Amino acid sequence: MCPSTHPEDYAEARVVNQTWLCNSLAWLIATALWGGSARANEGQELEFFESKIRPLLVNHCYECHSETSTKLAAGLRLDSRAAILRGGDSGSAVVVGKPNESLLIQSVRYESNEMPPNQKLDAASIAALEQWVEWGAPWPAEESPDSMTPEVGYDWPELQQHWSWQPVTRPILPTVSGTALIKNPIDQFVASRLAENALRQPPPAATATLVRRSFIDLIGIPPSPTELSRWVTAIDATPTKRDMQFGQMIDELLERPQYGERWGRHWLDVARYSDTGGWTQDNRPHPFAWRYRDWVVAAFNADMPYDQFVTNQIAGDQVDTESAIGTGFFALGPSYSSDGGDPESVAQAKSETLDDRVDTFSRAFLGLTVACARCHDHKFDPIPTQDYYSIAGIFNNSRETETPLADVEIQKTYHAHQGKIRAAQDKVNQLQKIPKDQKREPTDQEKAEIKSWQEKTTELKATAPAKYDFAHTIHDAGSNDMKIALRGNLLKSGEVAPRRFLRIVEGQTRNHFQQGSGRTQLAKAVVDPSNPLTARVMVNRIWMNHFGEALVRTPSNFGILGEPPSHPKLLDWLAVEFVESGWSIKSMHRTIMNSATYQTSSDFDQEAFESDGDNRLLWRMQPRRMDVETWRDSLLAVTGELDTTLGGPAIDRIVDSQRRTLYAKVSRNEPKGSDEFLRLFDFPIPRASAAKRTSNVLPQQFLFMMNSPFMIKRAKALSELLQRKEATDAARVNLAYSLLYGRAPTVQEHEISKQFFTTQPVSNESLDRWQQYCQVMLSANEFMYIR
Amino acid sequence: MTHRAPGPPVSRRDLLQRLGSGFGTIAAASMLSDPTHAGRPQIDVGPSLLSPKLPHFAPKAKHVIQLFMPGGPSQVDTFDYKPLIEKHAGERPSAVDRKTLRNTKNGLFPSPFGFKQYGQSGKWVSDIFPRTAQCVDDICFVHSMHTDIPEHAGAMLMFNLGHLQPSRPSLGSWLCYGLGTENQELPGFVAMSPRAQPRGKAANWGNSFLPGAYSGVYANIASMKPDQILRDLKNPHLPRAEQRQQAELLAQLNRLDLKRQQQDQQLESSIQAMEMAFKMQFAVPDAFNTESETKTTLELYGKSEFAKGCLLARRLVERGVRMVQLSHSIDGYDIAWDTGHGDIKGGHARLAQACDQGIAALLQDLKQRGLLDETLVIWGGEFGRAPTSEGQKGRDHDHYGFTVWMAGGGVKPGFTHGATDEFGCSAVKDRVHVHDLHATILHLMGLDHERLTYRYSGRDFRLTDVHGNVVHDIIA
C-alpha cells in the first residue's frame, strides 16, 4: 500500500531477470496438469502464440500494459504469462482454460472493460484470444520481465552497505579538547561532534532543574518540595561528591514502582496497546488486556533483560504461563473481520490482520518496515515480498487464545457452573420443543415445568461466579509455510515462502523455522548477538525518551528511507554497552543520565540555534512539553490527589479518576470515555505501532484547561491545600511556585498575583479568586514543560 | 510537476478578516506573501496545523459538503432510470447474473416508483425525490460508480477513507491536512448525523495517523446543544468578563515564561492557541445555532432532522469550514438505506422523504447565496442495489454499479457521466471507481491526489493509495 512517489530512490533496486528457469518449470508442470482434450501439441500451440497472439498483444495492448509502458494502466502487464495470470488491479486477466471467465476475454468482447479502448478488436482476433486462453495461455519459455519473483531484484552487496545493516562494533572513543567536561564516553562522542561544528559545549543545568527533569523522566511526576530540597542540598553540598549523589538519586528513582509505570508506557506506544480489538466497531473487547500492560510494567521494574523481554513477547507461551502474558504484544493487536462473509472481504480482513502482526513485529524490534513488502518487493529496502510472507507465515500459524491465570479449582468451579446453566437452558429448549413439534399449545403442566426450569436458569445465571482472570495470548496452531499472496491478495497464491528470518539480517543461508509456528526460532534470530538491529533500535528508543529526540529520528525505521543517526558512533557504543550489560535497560538509564550531556542546561543559544536549529548536535537539552500521562499525573501529584495504586483493570473515564493515566481504558476506534481526553493531547491512536509522540498545541487543549471539570477540581484542591498550609496570600503564592514549578516566585510574579486578587469580581462567580488563580497556575506552560 | 503559485483560493483581505487577530493572521499573511509555499503542504508546528495552505493548483471548489447515504440507496429506484427492467420483469438476463452478498437467484424487479423528466436536461428522476428533481440542472450525475466489495462496513470505509479497513485517514482529514481551514475559530472538518452514527462510526471522519487536529468533530443533530459541540466548550462557572481576566492572567504568566526561554516557537503558539480557544467558546455555538435564520430560510429547509443538518452545513461552509459530512439516518439505524433488502417501496420512500426537502433546500440556498460555485456537494452511498429482487420486494447490495451525484464546486451542471448496463446492474460505460471519485474531489479542491502524501511508518500514504484517475469529463 505504498505509492511509489520516489522513483529516483528506487533506481538502486535494479530488476535482474534470471527467472526464466523457474517460469518455464512452472509452465511445464502446469501444461502436464491441464492435459485436456482437443489440444494441439505444444509446438503448434506456441507457433499459434507467436503468429497470432503475440503480435496482437504487442500491437493493441503493450502501449499501456507492458514493461515499456510509460504509465502502466490498472497495474496490469500482458508481457509475460506470469504477469497475465497475476493480473492487474481488477484481478487475474486470464483464468486458464476458461475464456468466459477471463477478464482479458470479457474486456476484448467489451463485456466488462472495453479494451482496447479506442477500437474493438475484430471477431477473428477475439476468437484467437479465446482459443489461446482455452488452451491454457501457452507461452514460450523465455526471460520474462517479472518483478514479482523474489530476491533477484536487489543489489544485495551494495544495499548491505547501509549503516544499520552493518555489524555493531565497539567504536574507538574520539579525543576531545582538555577543557571539555567529560563524565563518561557519551560526552566524548557528543563534545567531539560539537567541536567539529564549532559549537560550544553547553553549561550544566541548575541543580533544581536537573532534579525536576530526572524525576519526570524516570517516574513521570515532579519531585515534592521536600524531595527537591533534599536532593539539591545533597548534590550541591560537596563538589567532589556531586556525581555520586546524583547517581544515588537515579538509583533510588529506578527502584520506585512508578518507574515501570512511566517506562512501560513508552513501550506500550510501540506495542500499539489497546483494551479493545478494534475492527470497525471495537466489537471485540479485550477484558484482560491490562494483564499484559501490568506485565510490561513489572518487566521494566524488574529490569528484565531486554533479550528476554523480546523473547517473551514473541514466544513467551513456549516458556511458562507468566512469560506467556508477554505474547499479548500480538494477541492484543487489531484483528480484522468481515461483516458479511464475502470471500474478497474475508481474505482482505485476514491479510490486514497479518499485516498488523508483521508490521508491529518488524518496526518494534528491528526498525524495519517489512509490511511495505506485502504487495510487492520493498521499494527501498532489500525486503522481497517472499520475506514478508516468511514472517507472516509464522503468525499465520499462531492463534489468539486465553491463558487462565486463576487456580485450577477456580477454573473448574466456573466451568462446572457454566455447564449447569447450559444444561438448564437445554432442558427449557427440550420442553418447549415437545408441544411445538406436535403443533399444539403446551399443557398447563408443561407450562409450569418450563417456567420452573426457566427460573432455575435465571437463578443459575445470577449466581454464576465471574469469569476467572485470563491473559490474552497466542499459541501455536500449525506448522505450515504460506504462499506469497500476489499483489497482497490472499486469494491469489504465488510461490511458497518458507518460514525464516530476513535475508538482509541473516544472510542468504537461512534456517527454515519448523518448530511449531516458528516463533521461538524467530525470537532467537531477533536477539541473536549478530543481529545488528535489535540493540541499536532499543538504545535509540531509550535515548529518545530521555532527550525528546532520538539519535535516529525515525526510531522505527532504520531502513534506507529512515534518517541516518546524528551520532553513529555513539549509537553503536550504546548498543555494545547495552548487550554487554546483559541487555539491562536500567543500566542504560544510568549510563545516559550520569553523562554531562544529559545534565546540560536547556538554555537557548542564538548562535548555536542559527547553525543547528534542530539541535541535532545537542548544544542544549531540548525543552519538552510533557506527554498527556505525565501532565495529568503531575497535576494530580502537586495537588496531593494522586492515587498511586499499582496495576489492575482499566478505568473507563480516566478524567474522573485519580489513578495514574497509564490505567485509562484505551480503544482503537470509537473514542470512549478516556480516549477523547488522551487524544486531545497527542496520545497515539493505538491502531499501529507508534514510534514517537507528536506534540501539537491545539486550541481545544485550552478549552480543557479553562473549562473542564477535571481542571476545576484540581484548582479547588490546590487552593484548599494552599489555604490549609499557609496563612497569608504571599506565603501561599510562594508555596504554589514551589509545589508546581520548583522555584520561588519573582517580585514581578508576586505583583501580578496581588493585582489579580484585588481586582473586583464582575459578578458572583462560583469559582473564587484563589481557585481561579490556581487553575491558571496549573494551566501554565512552566508547569507543562520539562527543561 | 509545477510549483507555480496560482491565485490564492481566498482573497488576502477575506482571509485576514475571517481569521481575526489570532496567530492565523500571521501564519496566513506570511504564507500568502511567500510564493514558494505552493508545493506539497508542509506540517507546521503548533496551532498553524490548520492555517490555510495553498493548494497545488487553482481550485474549483473551496468546501465540500458530503451528503452520505449509508446502507446503499438503490440506483434504479432513484436517479438511474431503467425502463427495460419492467419489460423483462422476472427474467434473469446474463447482465444481472452477478454474485453479490446473498447471491440472489430472483429475476429483474421493476421499480415500484414512477419516474418523470425534469429540467432543461430532461433528467429522469424517481417520484420519491420530487424536490431534488427540481435541481437536476445544477446536478452532475455519475451513474458508473463501482467499488470493491458488497459489505457495508468495508464499502463505507472505502467510500470515506479509500480503504476497506478503518486504518486510514478520512477524506475530510486529508483535505484539512492539504488545505488547512479558513476559520481558525471553528473545526476544519465537521461530521454530523441525526441520531445514529454511520457504521464504522468515528473511522468515517477519523484522522488515523494524521495529526489529531485533522480529525472530524462529530455532532449528533438530534441531541446536540450548540454550546456543547466541542467538549468543554462552555465555562460552567465564570461569565465572559471574568473569564477574560483569568485568560489574561494565564497569558501574562506564559509571556513571562516565554521571555525567560528567549525563543520557543511552541510556547509562542500556545499563547495564541489559548486566545483562539477563548474565541471558540463563542464562535462555535453561534455557528451551530440556527435561531438567527429567517423564517423563509427555515421554511425552505423544513423541519426534518436531516434538513437541519443541511442548514447547519450551509452555515458552516459559509464560515469557512473545509468539509462537512452529513450522514443520513432514520429510526436510529446506522445503515439507513439498507432497509432496501426487505422492502424497497416502504423503506426507500421514507428515507427519501426524510432527506429530499433538505437536499433541495441546501442546493437552492447555496446557489442564491453565491456559495454553490465554491462548494462541492456530493450525494451517494457506499454502493447501490441490484435491479433483481431479493425475497419479494427488496434488493440486495450491488457494488458493480451505483450512482453518485455532485453539484456546484466546478462540476458540470445538468450533466450525466457514465452508465450502467441496460438494467442498471453494472457500470459499463466510463466506469468510475471510488478511488477515481476521490482523485476527482481532491482535484476540484486544487490538490493532486498523487502529491498529497503523508510519510508514516516508512511509507508515503495517499488517500487514493496506488490508484485513482481524475474524471476530467465531469469538470466544468
Side-chain angles (χ1 to χ4, degrees):
Chain A
M1 301 292 117
C2 7
S4 54
T5 48
H6 299 277
E8 64 280 11
D9 293 347
Y10 190 30
E12 289 300 308
R14 292 194 299 274
V15 177
V16 184
N17 302 312
Q18 301 171 342
T19 63
W20 60 271
L21 186 63
C22 299
N23 278 359
S24 56
L25 189 64
W27 151 236
L28 284 176
I29 295 168
T31 6
L33 291 174
W34 298 327
S37 56
R39 296 270 319 253
N41 69 44
E42 194 189 329
Q44 285 169 328
E45 285 177 356
L46 294 179
E47 200 183 319
F48 178 78
F49 171 81
E50 293 295 359
S51 61
K52 295 271 187 330
I53 305 299
R54 197 197 289 271
L56 213 147
L57 293 173
V58 172
N59 292 334
H60 297 284
C61 313
Y62 281 12
E63 191 183 331
C64 308
H65 297 293
S66 73
E67 192 193 17
T68 50
S69 312
T70 38
K71 190 172 179 186
L72 190 69
L76 174 66
R77 274 165 57 171
L78 299 172
D79 53 2
S80 78
R81 185 168 187 277
I84 290 174
L85 293 186
R86 186 163 67 243
D89 299 330
S90 324
S92 183
V94 160
V95 179
V96 284
K98 294 180 176 168
N100 290 338
E101 293 171 29
S102 296
L103 207 53
L104 175 74
I105 302 301
Q106 292 166 1
S107 304
V108 296
R109 288 176 185 161
Y110 275 36
E111 288 171 357
S112 55
N113 305 311
E114 297 183 350
M115 289 294 157
N118 39 6
Q119 206 194 340
K120 197 174 169 178
L121 296 175
D122 58 51
S125 300
I126 296 175
L129 280 168
E130 288 168 345
Q131 179 64 75
W132 177 68
V133 171
E134 205 166 333
W135 282 345
W139 196 294
E142 63 185 30
E143 286 195 15
S144 92
D146 190 357
S147 63
M148 263 336 265
T149 310
E151 298 200 28
V152 296
Y154 299 115
D155 186 343
W156 290 94
E158 171 74 23
L159 287 162
Q160 191 81 50
Q161 297 307 311
H162 179 66
W163 69 270
S164 71
W165 302 320
Q166 295 286 307
V168 183
T169 50
R170 181 178 278 281
I172 297 161
L173 300 184
T175 48
V176 285
S177 81
T179 55
L181 178 61
I182 304 296
K183 294 194 178 190
N184 70 23
I186 291 176
D187 303 325
Q188 277 171 269
F189 291 107
V190 174
S192 72
R193 295 276 285 129
L194 283 168
E196 274 164 36
N197 290 274
L199 290 170
R200 279 186 298 270
Q201 195 187 26
T207 307
T209 307
L210 180 62
V211 171
R212 186 176 193 260
R213 179 193 298 169
S214 305
F215 266 69
I216 295 174
D217 244 14
L218 286 182
I219 63 167
I221 29 185
S224 70
T226 324
E227 287 171 321
L228 182 65
S229 85
R230 175 189 153 206
W231 285 112
V232 169
T233 312
I235 292 167
D236 286 345
T238 324
T240 51
K241 291 186 179 166
R242 184 183 170 86
D243 290 346
M244 189 204 70
Q245 285 291 342
F246 182 77
Q248 199 179 324
M249 179 184 81
I250 301 303
D251 289 343
E252 277 191 29
L253 289 172
L254 287 172
E255 287 313 306
R256 295 202 192 177
Q258 285 82 27
Y259 157 76
E261 292 179 312
R262 167 85 163 135
W263 280 77
R265 185 55 246 179
H266 292 319
W267 182 256
L268 294 176
D269 274 15
V270 174
R272 44 89 182 93
Y273 170 80
S274 163
D275 294 283
T276 64
W279 187 53
T280 51
Q281 301 179 355
D282 280 341
N283 52 358
R284 298 205 319 177
H286 288 138
F288 291 102
W290 60 271
R291 288 284 187 174
Y292 169 73
R293 178 244 286 148
D294 286 357
W295 181 90
V296 169
V297 170
F300 272 90
N301 276 332
D303 198 17
M304 180 187 286
Y306 183 66
D307 57 345
Q308 192 187 336
F309 183 64
V310 170
T311 302
N312 286 341
Q313 291 179 90
I314 299 174
D317 57 310
Q318 290 158 32
V319 181
D320 55 32
T321 305
E322 180 60 24
S323 308
I325 303 174
T327 63
F329 182 86
F330 291 108
L332 297 169
S335 291
Y336 297 91
S337 53
S338 131
D339 72 351
D342 165 62
E344 291 281 339
S345 317
V346 171
Q348 220 272 345
K350 180 181 171 189
S351 102
E352 202 78 8
T353 305
L354 284 173
D355 179 86
D356 165 79
R357 307 300 184 259
V358 177
D359 180 57
T360 312
F361 161 78
S362 66
R363 286 203 292 137
F365 300 123
L366 303 169
L368 286 180
T369 54
V370 175
C372 289
R374 170 174 153 195
C375 308
H376 48 68
D377 293 349
H378 199 297
K379 299 210 167 179
F380 309 104
D381 299 339
I383 304 169
T385 303
Q386 195 179 39
D387 275 12
Y388 173 91
Y389 289 95
S390 293
I391 305 291
I394 296 169
F395 296 104
N396 198 35
N397 284 294
S398 310
R399 295 282 172 277
E400 292 155 34
T401 185
E402 296 176 358
T403 298
L405 296 175
D407 289 346
V408 178
E409 283 310 309
I410 295 176
Q411 293 176 42
K412 273 190 192 156
T413 315
Y414 173 83
H415 287 298
H417 197 100
Q418 290 297 316
K420 280 186 206 160
I421 296 174
R422 275 194 302 276
Q425 188 64 53
D426 285 350
K427 187 81 187 164
V428 173
N429 295 345
Q430 268 170 24
L431 292 169
Q432 283 173 333
K433 195 165 176 283
I434 298 165
K436 210 181 269 171
D437 283 351
Q438 298 171 2
K439 297 200 168 119
R440 61 171 173 81
E441 286 297 304
T443 62
D444 286 349
Q445 195 200 335
E446 281 171 337
K447 275 184 190 161
E449 208 179 344
I450 290 169
K451 186 160 177 266
S452 121
W453 277 101
Q454 277 172 333
E455 281 168 1
K456 192 164 167 65
T457 313
T458 315
E459 193 202 317
L460 278 167
K461 280 185 183 164
T463 55
K467 175 93 187 250
Y468 51 84
D469 280 17
F470 61 83
H472 302 270
T473 56
I474 51 176
H475 71 129
D476 282 0
S479 190
N480 303 303
D481 293 330
M482 261 183 111
K483 286 180 179 161
I484 291 176
L486 300 177
R487 286 180 85 82
N489 185 343
L490 287 179
L491 297 180
K492 292 188 196 134
S493 299
E495 57 182 282
V496 168
R499 283 162 299 147
R500 58 188 179 188
F501 203 46
L502 305 164
R503 172 165 166 187
I504 188 59
V505 182
E506 201 171 292
Q508 202 163 3
T509 324
R510 288 171 278 172
N511 287 327
H512 189 183
F513 298 163
Q514 287 173 306
Q515 274 173 37
S517 65
R519 280 185 288 114
T520 296
Q521 292 158 291
L522 179 68
K524 270 206 187 101
V526 173
V527 300
D528 190 285
S530 69
N531 181 332
L533 290 163
T534 308
R536 278 191 182 122
V537 167
M538 187 56 181
V539 294
N540 188 57
R541 292 192 199 282
I542 297 171
W543 184 277
M544 175 179 77
N545 289 318
H546 280 297
F547 288 88
E549 282 291 359
L551 297 168
V552 178
R553 291 193 173 190
T554 51
S556 291
N557 187 1
F558 278 37
I560 306 275
L561 285 191
E563 291 208 18
S566 54
H567 298 74
K569 288 179 184 163
L570 171 55
L571 181 71
D572 278 12
W573 183 82
L574 292 167
V576 170
E577 287 287 312
F578 186 45
V579 176
E580 287 183 1
S581 73
W583 302 84
S584 162
I585 293 171
K586 284 192 176 177
S587 202
M588 200 42 30
H589 292 309
R590 290 189 189 94
T591 308
I592 290 173
M593 295 179 80
N594 285 316
S595 70
T597 304
Y598 178 79
Q599 298 173 17
T600 52
S601 152
S602 68
D603 284 354
F604 185 70
D605 176 342
Q606 185 65 40
E607 213 177 296
F609 179 75
E610 278 165 17
S611 94
D612 177 26
D614 286 342
N615 193 23
R616 300 190 77 109
L617 298 172
L618 298 163
W619 49 266
R620 68 160 166 173
M621 171 55 86
Q622 189 67 35
R624 282 169 287 159
R625 202 178 192 225
M626 287 176 179
D627 58 30
V628 60
E629 294 93 335
T630 307
W631 183 62
R632 182 182 161 280
D633 294 351
S634 297
L635 287 167
L636 287 162
V638 297
T639 58
E641 299 171 285
L642 186 67
D643 175 351
T644 54
T645 312
L646 282 178
I651 294 160
D652 269 329
R653 283 191 52 81
I654 198 68
V655 281
D656 296 341
S657 153
Q658 294 178 10
R659 294 284 305 283
R660 287 196 79 169
T661 314
L662 165 74
Y663 300 112
K665 185 180 262 184
V666 289
S667 52
R668 294 209 161 93
N669 279 336
E670 303 154 44
K672 299 225 174 69
S674 300
D675 301 303
E676 228 175 323
F677 161 71
L678 294 172
R679 293 183 195 178
L680 180 56
F681 292 92
D682 289 296
F683 185 87
I685 298 178
R687 186 158 284 293
S689 175
K692 64 180 179 189
R693 291 280 175 103
T694 53
S695 177
N696 290 301
V697 176
L698 295 178
Q700 281 95 320
Q701 294 167 349
F702 290 90
L703 290 178
F704 181 85
M705 294 185 201
M706 292 191 292
N707 301 336
S708 72
F710 175 85
M711 284 304 280
I712 286 164
K713 265 189 215 156
R714 304 294 84 77
K716 287 180 172 170
L718 178 61
S719 167
E720 194 274 326
L721 184 145
L722 298 176
Q723 313 291 327
R724 182 156 40 85
K725 293 219 167 165
E726 297 290 352
T728 67
D729 277 359
R732 288 170 187 151
V733 170
N734 282 334
L735 179 56
Y737 272 81
S738 151
L739 275 169
L740 271 57
Y741 312 148
R743 67 175 177 91
T746 63
V747 176
Q748 189 187 10
E749 284 159 343
H750 266 302
E751 272 312 306
I752 291 170
S753 65
K754 229 183 269 171
Q755 216 172 9
F756 188 73
F757 295 134
T758 50
T759 312
Q760 278 307 305
V762 189
S763 56
N764 287 331
E765 69 273 18
S766 54
L767 205 62
D768 70 29
R769 277 277 147 163
W770 257 104
Q771 291 164 342
Q772 291 179 37
Y773 178 78
C774 288
Q775 190 184 358
V776 167
M777 291 289 285
L778 291 167
S779 304
N781 282 337
E782 187 168 358
F783 182 74
M784 206 179 189
Y785 279 76
I786 312 166
R787 285 165 176 150
Chain B
M1 199 191 299
T2 109
H3 284 267
R4 190 181 58 84
V10 286
S11 79
R12 188 189 172 99
R13 183 181 51 86
D14 188 18
L15 187 64
L16 298 187
Q17 271 175 356
R18 278 180 176 171
L19 286 168
S21 60
F23 64 89
T25 320
I26 305 152
S30 63
M31 211 176 62
L32 292 181
S33 61
D34 176 8
T36 61
H37 199 83
R40 177 176 155 177
Q42 297 295 321
I43 287 280
D44 298 318
V45 295
S48 53
L49 278 179
L50 280 166
S51 307
K53 300 182 184 77
L54 290 183
H56 296 139
F57 42 79
K60 301 266 185 183
K62 296 193 322 200
H63 315 281
V64 172
I65 297 177
Q66 180 196 3
L67 306 173
F68 184 46
M69 302 288 133
S74 162
Q75 62 274 25
V76 298
D77 298 297
T78 54
F79 302 103
D80 193 6
Y81 180 48
K82 295 290 174 184
L84 220 57
I85 299 176
E86 179 97 57
K87 206 172 142 194
H88 294 272
E91 296 173 20
R92 198 173 169 82
S94 62
V96 301
D97 193 13
R98 304 200 71 172
K99 182 194 164 295
T100 172
L101 205 54
R102 266 149 284 263
N103 215 0
T104 54
K105 290 289 173 215
N106 296 334
L108 285 166
F109 167 51
S111 177
F113 311 119
F115 273 75
K116 289 187 197 67
Q117 277 184 293
Y118 295 87
Q120 295 276 311
S121 52
K123 186 74 191 173
W124 289 91
V125 175
S126 156
D127 290 349
I128 58 175
F129 278 108
R131 290 173 191 251
T132 305
Q134 301 295 337
C135 306
V136 289
D137 288 341
D138 289 317
I139 293 178
C140 173
F141 292 90
V142 180
H143 286 318
S144 51
M145 290 298 305
H146 63 112
T147 188
D148 286 359
I149 58 164
E151 289 182 12
H152 294 291
M156 284 165 76
L157 296 170
M158 172 58 76
F159 201 81
N160 289 321
L161 22 142
H163 190 67
L164 296 170
Q165 304 293 347
S167 45
R168 297 281 193 281
S170 56
L171 169 63
S173 294
W174 280 110
L175 286 173
C176 289
Y177 162 63
L179 299 169
T181 183
E182 291 173 7
N183 186 335
Q184 302 299 308
E185 293 168 22
L186 295 177
F189 175 23
V190 175
M192 295 186 283
S193 62
R195 300 174 196 277
Q197 298 183 359
R199 185 163 296 176
K201 302 196 177 176
N204 288 296
W205 53 86
N207 54 295
S208 183
F209 49 73
L210 290 177
Y214 302 125
S215 170
V217 165
Y218 175 78
N220 187 320
I221 299 163
S223 60
M224 72 164 191
K225 298 190 174 69
D227 59 1
Q228 290 173 18
I229 295 294
L230 297 178
R231 193 165 287 280
D232 303 315
L233 187 56
K234 195 179 168 193
N235 191 297
H237 299 283
L238 304 176
R240 185 171 182 163
E242 204 89 37
Q243 216 200 344
R244 185 72 246 174
Q245 292 172 1
Q246 203 192 14
E248 289 297 338
L249 176 65
L250 180 57
Q252 213 173 356
L253 296 184
N254 281 346
R255 275 196 298 269
L256 278 178
D257 184 56
L258 174 61
K259 205 172 151 196
R260 273 193 294 268
Q261 299 300 315
Q262 296 181 53
Q263 217 275 8
D264 191 312
Q265 198 179 359
Q266 203 179 40
L267 292 181
E268 279 172 38
S269 302
S270 81
I271 293 170
Q272 290 151 351
M274 210 274 301
E275 185 57 28
M276 203 55 68
F278 189 81
K279 291 178 181 158
M280 281 177 107
Q281 297 179 105
F282 313 101
V284 173
D286 176 61
F288 281 87
N289 188 344
T290 54
E291 280 169 15
S292 60
E293 294 288 340
T294 64
K295 197 165 162 246
T296 322
T297 304
L298 291 171
E299 277 170 2
L300 177 70
Y301 281 85
K303 290 194 185 318
S304 76
E305 284 172 347
F306 188 84
K308 187 175 179 193
C310 290
L311 177 55
L312 288 171
R314 190 220 80 210
R315 290 179 64 84
L316 292 170
V317 298
E318 198 173 33
R319 284 164 173 74
V321 169
R322 186 64 69 194
M323 170 155 170
V324 178
Q325 179 191 63
L326 171 60
S327 299
H328 194 17
S329 154
I330 57 171
D331 304 333
Y333 194 32
D334 65 348
I335 42 173
W337 288 91
D338 203 40
T339 50
H341 281 299
D343 178 14
I344 278 289
K345 195 175 176 188
H348 271 40
R350 275 189 67 215
L351 280 150
Q353 209 210 342
C355 67
D356 183 39
Q357 184 178 354
I359 294 169
L362 175 65
L363 294 179
Q364 286 165 38
D365 198 13
L366 287 171
K367 197 174 179 183
Q368 74 200 18
R369 286 166 198 262
L371 286 166
L372 189 58
D373 289 342
E374 60 182 53
T375 306
L376 178 68
V377 181
I378 304 162
W379 180 96
E382 71 274 26
F383 44 58
R385 308 199 85 85
T388 47
S389 78
E390 178 189 6
Q392 297 302 311
K393 303 178 289 182
R395 302 188 191 279
D396 195 12
H397 309 166
D398 180 2
H399 64 294
Y400 303 109
F402 63 105
T403 291
V404 158
W405 61 251
M406 288 176 264
V411 294
K412 288 179 183 165
F415 186 75
T416 293
H417 175 86
T420 47
D421 55 56
E422 54 202 337
F423 303 110
C425 183
S426 310
V428 290
K429 182 168 169 278
D430 297 329
R431 287 154 54 86
V432 179
H433 190 275
V434 175
H435 294 305
D436 304 325
L437 178 71
H438 287 157
T440 310
I441 295 168
L442 292 184
H443 183 88
L444 290 165
M445 296 294 282
L447 296 169
D448 176 346
H449 72 105
E450 293 186 349
R451 282 161 67 197
L452 184 68
T453 62
Y454 187 80
R455 173 67 54 85
Y456 169 73
S457 129
R459 356 176 191 163
D460 278 338
F461 282 87
R462 283 170 25 194
L463 170 62
T464 49
D465 198 358
V466 295
H467 313 284
N469 291 302
V470 174
V471 187
H472 289 283
D473 193 35
I474 65 168
I475 297 171

